[in-house]
Amino acid sequence: MTTWMWIFIMAVILQRVVELFIAKRNEKWMKHIGGIEKGEKHYKWFILLHCSFFISIMVETAFKDRLFNDMNYVLLVIFLTTQAGRIWCIHTLGRFWNTKVIVLPRVALIKKGPYKYIKHPNYIIVAIELFVIPLLVGAQLTAFIFPIFHLLLLRIRIPREEKALTRVT
């Protein structure tokens, strides 16, 4: 990988680490005021997926015969748009935003911001990112495989999340 690619990937990883700190802070607050975690068993698979994703990018690009250093500005714009969407989701949910399924009894679902239009906008954003990020750095195999893994996990996550959210409201 070229220098800009390393900087790009490290910036995305740093962003994810910061988001995990935000999620942990929100989790503590939600549990402190009565939040109940659901779907703990499948959460570890999301962690494994996202860690493997970045490892896969690094391994795949390390073994490329030719150096990939072309910037695809269309993909970059798509990536930046997903980041704006991610920030919109986090901002809209505020202290309720989390990477886990934590529900608060008798608290109404938030139906503003992107949640006014789409039920699970962040999952769509992540699916796009899992495709676009690897393509930006020339990791085509990773771009093909990881969105599929993500969709398979969502087949477990979304029904459990929906069930948890409808039971407590």
Side-chain angles (χ1 to χ4, degrees), residues 15-31 43 47 90 94-100 102:
Q15 176 192 23
R16 298 306 187 264
V17 170
V18 168
E19 288 173 3
L20 287 174
F21 279 111
I22 293 168
K24 191 64 174 174
R25 183 192 68 211
N26 292 347
E27 174 186 356
K28 285 179 183 177
W29 173 77
M30 288 179 75
K31 287 183 175 179
Y43 183 71
I47 299 297
I90 292 170
R95 293 182 89 182
F96 297 103
W97 179 82
N98 211 298
T99 57
K100 296 180 178 180
I102 301 175

Side-chain angles (χ1 to χ4, degrees), residues 72-131:
N72 183 318
Y73 293 102
V74 172
L75 291 176
L76 182 61
V77 167
I78 293 169
F79 172 76
L80 293 173
T81 303
T82 62
Q83 297 318 289
R86 173 186 293 283
I87 292 166
W88 192 21
C89 289
I90 292 170
H91 178 71
T92 299
L93 292 179
R95 293 182 89 182
F96 297 103
W97 179 82
N98 211 298
T99 57
K100 296 180 178 180
V101 178
I102 301 175
V103 293
L104 280 165
R106 295 169 302 284
V107 173
L109 290 177
I110 294 173
K111 294 185 179 181
K112 61 181 182 177
Y115 299 91
K116 180 179 177 181
Y117 308 103
I118 303 169
K119 217 169 192 180
H120 300 282
N122 198 60
Y123 296 148
I124 296 167
I125 289 165
V126 171
I128 294 168
E129 288 176 334
L130 291 173
F131 182 71

Side-chain angles (χ1 to χ4, degrees), residues 4 14 38 44 78 102 106-107 126-127 130 133 155 158:
W4 78 262
L14 178 63
K38 302 287 185 177
K44 64 184 171 226
I78 293 169
I102 301 175
R106 295 169 302 284
V107 173
V126 171
L130 291 173
I133 292 169
R155 289 183 55 145
I158 291 175

Side-chain angles (χ1 to χ4, degrees), residues 52-72:
S52 300
F53 170 72
F54 290 107
I55 292 167
S56 179
I57 289 173
M58 291 179 210
V59 169
E60 184 178 350
T61 56
F63 292 105
K64 291 280 184 180
D65 288 339
R66 70 176 189 85
L67 191 60
F68 181 88
N69 58 9
D70 298 335
M71 172 59 74
N72 183 318

